[in-house]
Amino acid sequence: MFEIFEKKESQVRSYCRKYPAVFDRALNAELFDTEGNRYIDFLATAGSMNYGHNNPEIKKAVLDYLSEDRLINGLDIYTSAKAEFFEAYDELILKPRGLDYKIMCCGPTGTNANEAAFKLARKNKKRNNILAFAGAFHGMTLGALAATTDQTSREGAFIPLTNVRFAPYDGVAIDSIAYLEWMLDDDHSGIDRPAAIILETTQAEGGINVASDKWLREIRRICDERDILMIVDDIQTGNGRTGYFFSFERAGIVPDMVVVSKSISGYGAPMALLLIKPELDIFRPAEHNGTFRGYQPAFVGAKAGIEYFCKHNLGEEVKRKEKIVKDFIEKEILPLDERLTTRGIGLLQGIDFNAIDPALAKVTIHNAFDHGLICESAGRHDGVLKIMPPLTIEDEILMEGLGIVRNAIKESLGK
Ligand SMILES: Cc1ncc(COP(=O)(O)O)c(C=O)c1O
């Protein structure tokens, strides 16, 4: 069955090259291919299946909606599905966290919502520059790509990627806060004052780099003191991934804008939101339009998804499972080679091969796949193995998957 893809699908395809199977069914943290082979999912469709594949509670809401001839695509007309989602999001997520955001429905990809965030920040502050961090990933359309640092992605643009400057992220060898303050305050630094600073609280594609709470608070302070907007890209780290609904909650900060996508629709449907402090909500009507901003089943799944998150206390569940994963890595994986390191938060954990040979991360992905596990690599030289299962993964399957990772690494190290 591979021939049709090799014959017809563009060369740009990527994940399929790592997982050479034709997938068909999926249930919570397990995928099945057309041959009936089973795979444990440590990728969660790049973080868009936090609540598990075909989560029965969310599926029921979507199926009920579909079976009643309700509206499917609505542009941005008022609909009952969107109203119910907004109400639930406000009552269950925003208000309990003391957050007062307007909700902008964007074209349904993360990169589109980041484009909206940049446009809105620039329009508010009447400045063109955006400040992002080395290691950032914000998407593949030109504006968001300009704030993305990996060379392979940037090389695809073939035009200058402009109006973004970069600073070192937390955890690098230099004091990034001091460096940032110098960049912003020295009138000979050559850096124009940015409209906004955009960051991921943990850089996922950048190699699972976790910013400290203190660093995040310092960025908030730097923004406040200099009339710069703070944008948190919570596309991959949101929806409970780090043990909090929003990843920035742990630092006790409130960003000016939050970019949300991936798992927000609960059921894997495309959906993206920009959360905006009310005073910044100054787009003219239609200034960031898009046909698919109103895919109604996504709103239905999103409402069911946040209800599921609250009902099952998923944040605490993630923290419990985080301990299981960290314990396993420390006891069973790091002893395999003293040069292996680990870092992560919640159910977003990484194993770094760079001190041995970054290529081993890819070898491990292949080995793991051969033993029935799907996982991905990220970061500098693609040398960090990423562990990112659905948050709902059963404990036994989590342990089974971790065992496969350990054995795959053993194989990669020739042990
Ligand atoms: C942090 C972050 N921002 C933006 C994006 C881009 O989202 P999309 O692929 O939906 O455009 C991603 C995707 O991986 C991401 O992880």
Side-chain angles (χ1 to χ4, degrees):
M1 219 187 271
F2 292 131
E3 299 80 54
I4 184 70
F5 302 109
E6 279 156 12
K7 194 166 146 208
K8 295 306 293 179
E9 192 172 2
S10 158
Q11 288 298 335
V12 78
R13 63 192 192 275
S14 69
Y15 290 98
C16 55
R17 300 175 191 273
K18 294 174 198 160
Y19 319 119
V22 179
F23 294 94
D24 187 38
R25 288 191 313 115
L27 203 55
N28 200 18
E30 292 168 289
L31 302 181
F32 301 89
D33 69 17
T34 46
E35 316 262 284
N37 297 310
R38 161 190 181 257
Y39 305 86
I40 295 176
D41 184 5
F42 272 17
L43 175 62
T45 326
S48 60
M49 298 307 307
N50 280 7
Y51 309 127
H53 297 272
N54 288 302
N55 179 307
E57 293 178 38
I58 306 176
K59 179 163 75 176
K60 182 173 184 322
V62 175
L63 280 179
D64 287 351
Y65 185 85
L66 291 175
S67 67
E68 290 161 0
D69 287 342
R70 312 277 292 277
L71 199 75
I72 298 301
N73 187 17
L75 301 166
D76 66 3
I77 61 174
Y78 296 149
T79 66
S80 49
K82 186 157 67 176
E84 285 172 23
F85 163 65
F86 279 1
E87 272 156 21
Y89 202 62
D90 205 28
E91 289 303 321
L92 297 175
I93 300 296
L94 298 180
K95 278 190 190 155
R97 291 165 177 77
L99 299 172
D100 179 21
Y101 287 125
K102 299 285 285 292
I103 305 170
M104 175 174 166
C105 298
C106 301
T109 58
T111 197
N112 186 277
N114 275 329
E115 297 289 346
F118 291 174
K119 278 162 71 174
L120 191 58
R122 287 173 171 135
K123 185 175 165 98
N124 266 282
K125 294 299 170 194
K126 300 192 173 41
R127 298 176 211 141
N128 66 68
N129 196 20
I130 300 283
L131 204 135
F133 292 96
F137 186 88
H138 296 298
M140 299 297 272
T141 50
L142 292 174
L145 187 58
T148 291
T149 54
D150 80 272
Q151 283 305 320
T152 318
S153 301
R154 292 176 69 86
E155 277 163 12
F158 286 101
I159 60 165
L161 296 170
T162 56
N163 300 315
V164 178
R165 302 301 284 257
F166 295 96
Y169 194 67
D170 192 19
V172 292
I174 61 170
D175 179 343
S176 76
I177 293 296
Y179 184 83
L180 192 56
E181 291 196 294
W182 164 77
M183 276 174 92
L184 296 170
D185 295 344
D186 182 348
D187 64 357
H188 279 59
S189 71
I191 311 286
D192 299 329
R193 184 150 56 125
I197 295 181
I198 183 164
L199 59 89
E200 301 147 271
T201 62
T202 294
Q203 294 181 328
E205 299 308 307
I208 327 290
N209 309 313
V210 187
S212 69
D213 295 355
K214 179 165 174 268
W215 187 84
L216 293 167
R217 285 194 285 270
E218 285 286 85
I219 300 289
R220 180 66 275 184
R221 175 187 62 75
I222 286 172
C223 288
D224 287 341
E225 288 174 0
R226 292 162 182 82
D227 184 33
I228 297 167
L229 299 175
M230 180 179 188
I231 304 172
V232 167
D233 177 343
D234 222 17
I235 289 169
Q236 191 157 162
T237 45
N239 300 293
R241 176 56 59 190
T242 65
Y244 301 86
F245 189 82
F246 294 112
S247 70
F248 54 82
E249 286 173 48
R250 66 177 162 96
I253 53 165
V254 178
D256 300 299
M257 295 187 215
V258 185
V259 193
V260 174
S261 188
K262 292 211 192 264
S263 283
I264 183 63
S265 76
Y267 204 59
M271 178 172 173
L273 304 174
L274 178 62
L275 309 181
I276 310 162
K277 278 193 178 164
E279 64 274 21
L280 303 174
D281 183 31
I282 60 163
F283 270 142
R284 276 182 281 116
E287 208 171 348
H288 193 82
N289 249 2
T291 305
F292 288 109
R293 291 170 302 132
Y295 182 61
Q296 305 299 307
F299 295 128
V300 175
K303 173 172 179 278
I306 53 183
E307 285 166 353
Y308 184 92
F309 180 91
C310 297
K311 180 173 153 200
H312 296 275
N313 212 356
L314 208 53
E316 291 314 305
E317 263 298 279
V318 170
K319 288 178 189 140
R320 185 181 68 78
K321 288 175 187 167
E322 171 183 1
K323 284 204 191 81
I324 296 177
V325 177
K326 282 191 154 155
D327 254 29
F328 190 95
I329 294 175
E330 262 151 41
K331 295 196 182 115
E332 301 276 337
I333 293 180
L334 296 188
L336 296 175
D337 189 303
E338 63 188 14
R339 293 164 294 175
L340 287 171
T341 54
T342 184
R343 52 186 181 265
I345 182 167
L347 283 178
L348 178 56
Q349 299 288 331
I351 300 165
D352 194 334
F353 288 85
N354 276 302
I356 313 173
D357 174 2
L360 289 176
K362 279 223 171 79
V363 177
T364 302
I365 290 172
H366 290 296
N367 294 340
F369 182 77
D370 287 344
H371 296 293
L373 180 118
I374 291 172
C375 58
E376 167 64 322
S377 59
R380 266 85 178 181
H381 316 292
D382 242 348
V384 182
L385 190 82
K386 209 171 159 193
I387 295 179
M388 190 168 66
L391 311 181
T392 49
I393 188 168
E394 299 85 348
D395 285 6
E396 319 79 71
I397 297 184
L398 181 60
M399 290 307 292
E400 190 186 339
L402 289 168
I404 296 176
V405 171
R406 176 199 50 213
N407 295 344
I409 295 177
K410 263 185 168 173
E411 271 177 49
S412 308
L413 296 171
K415 299 201 169 177

